[in-house]
Amino acid sequence: MLEITDVRAGYDRSSVLHDVTVAVPKDGVAAVLGHNGAGKSTLLRVAMGLLRPKGGRVLLDGEDITRLAPHQRVARGMAYVPQGQQSFPHLTTAENLQLVADGRSNGKEAVAEALDLFPVLRELSGRRAGLLSGGQRQQLAIARALITSPRLLLLDEPTEGIQPSVVAEIEETVLALSRRGGLSVLLVEQHVGFAMRAAQRYYILEAGRVTSSGEGGAQAEGAVREALSV
Ligand SMILES: Nc1ncnc2c1ncn2[C@@H]1O[C@H](COP(=O)(O)OP(=O)(O)OP(=O)(O)O)[C@@H](O)[C@H]1O
Ligand SMILES: [Mg+2]
């Protein structure tokens, strides 16, 4: 449903992505793996329209969205959870969710649904986001993205720096969401096990190039670990 084709991109004079081609299957998960600095976040910024590529195209359900602004992509059903915790630290958990829900006809139900996916957030509704743990903040960030009822979710390292039990919770939620249908996910993830359990397709990015790609699934985990260790 999302096709990123032959994308070249970078910052000022530095080139980061070199002819990168990545496809997200409809209602499926594509995982992008790679070492620090490989260009994973840059790829998601291009997908979301935050960085204009110097070459190549981005297609959403066949429509060329390469030149569209981020808000136009949101209107087409894309949502983006950037790397790191991105909620408003001085607002409470509930206010952070309400902010996204305001003005949406189904806002109330969408908040309730997001809270059902992350019950811990219900207990923390009165706490300021800046006081939440890293894992809780990540769950809040994903919940905020889901309130927009996206068809395509871009997730940048949702488990980075988070303790194992919360990593497992986030993995469960992503798997549950993708099984429910109606949502495709482009997942950047350093946890190879999680990425491969979630993904139907994987791509390994090295120094801005896709050096290996294939079908996802736990059976491919060994090959991916090997490719990443060299
Ligand atoms: N705003 C920016 N201006 C200039 N260079 C940047 C900018 N953002 C990233 N870079 C550079 O682009 C390259 C790719 O960075 P990117 O953040 O895409 O990597 P990444 O694969 O997401 O890494 P990590 O796993 O550490 O998050 C790096 O060399 C980085 O220093
Ligand atoms: Mg990154």
Side-chain angles (χ1 to χ4, degrees):
M1 64 111 54
L2 183 76
E3 293 164 81
I4 299 170
T5 311
D6 295 328
V7 156
R8 281 181 288 120
Y11 306 94
D12 298 326
R13 270 150 289 159
S14 75
S15 302
V16 174
L17 300 177
H18 310 277
D19 301 314
V20 170
T21 295
V22 164
V24 183
K26 181 145 193 62
D27 292 352
V29 179
V32 176
L33 303 108
H35 296 295
N36 294 125
K40 306 181 295 298
S41 297
T42 302
L43 180 65
L44 290 197
R45 279 183 214 124
V46 169
M48 198 58 208
L50 297 161
L51 182 66
R52 183 157 287 196
K54 294 174 182 129
R57 297 199 305 168
V58 181
L59 301 186
L60 181 67
D61 285 332
E63 182 193 6
D64 191 333
I65 60 166
T66 316
R67 304 270 147 206
L68 294 190
H71 72 270
Q72 294 172 298
R73 300 184 200 215
V74 172
R76 281 163 177 72
M78 291 178 66
Y80 169 51
V81 181
Q83 196 168 1
Q85 291 90 28
Q86 297 291 330
S87 298
F88 295 96
H90 298 294
L91 299 183
T92 64
T93 298
E95 288 165 344
N96 266 289
L97 295 170
Q98 196 52 49
L99 203 65
V100 185
D102 276 347
R104 292 185 176 271
S105 54
N106 66 338
K108 217 173 169 173
E109 299 81 64
V111 169
E113 228 176 276
L115 288 172
D116 288 341
L117 278 168
F118 295 107
V120 67
L121 296 179
R122 230 184 265 279
E123 296 153 35
L124 298 166
S125 63
R127 190 169 301 174
R128 283 200 276 148
L131 300 176
L132 300 180
S133 74
Q136 293 164 347
R137 259 182 280 176
Q138 190 63 56
Q139 294 176 76
L140 176 57
I142 298 173
R144 280 165 50 87
L146 291 174
I147 289 174
T148 67
S149 309
R151 296 188 293 136
L152 173 65
L153 184 60
L154 311 179
L155 280 180
D156 198 347
E157 300 207 31
T159 66
E160 188 185 27
I162 288 172
Q163 69 181 67
S165 66
V166 182
V167 171
E169 262 176 57
I170 290 176
E171 170 175 342
E172 257 171 56
T173 307
V174 171
L175 290 175
L177 281 170
S178 100
R179 280 195 210 104
R180 201 169 65 177
L183 180 72
S184 311
V185 181
L186 180 53
L187 172 70
V188 168
E189 184 52 63
Q190 305 260 20
H191 284 85
V192 181
F194 167 22
M196 298 310 290
R197 282 189 290 275
Q200 284 77 48
R201 287 215 51 91
Y202 76 85
Y203 298 87
I204 295 180
L205 209 53
E206 279 178 63
R209 287 190 167 81
V210 175
T211 51
S212 148
S213 66
E215 253 179 65
Q219 78 289 342
E221 191 182 324
V224 167
R225 279 191 196 282
E226 203 161 305
L228 282 169
S229 67
V230 292

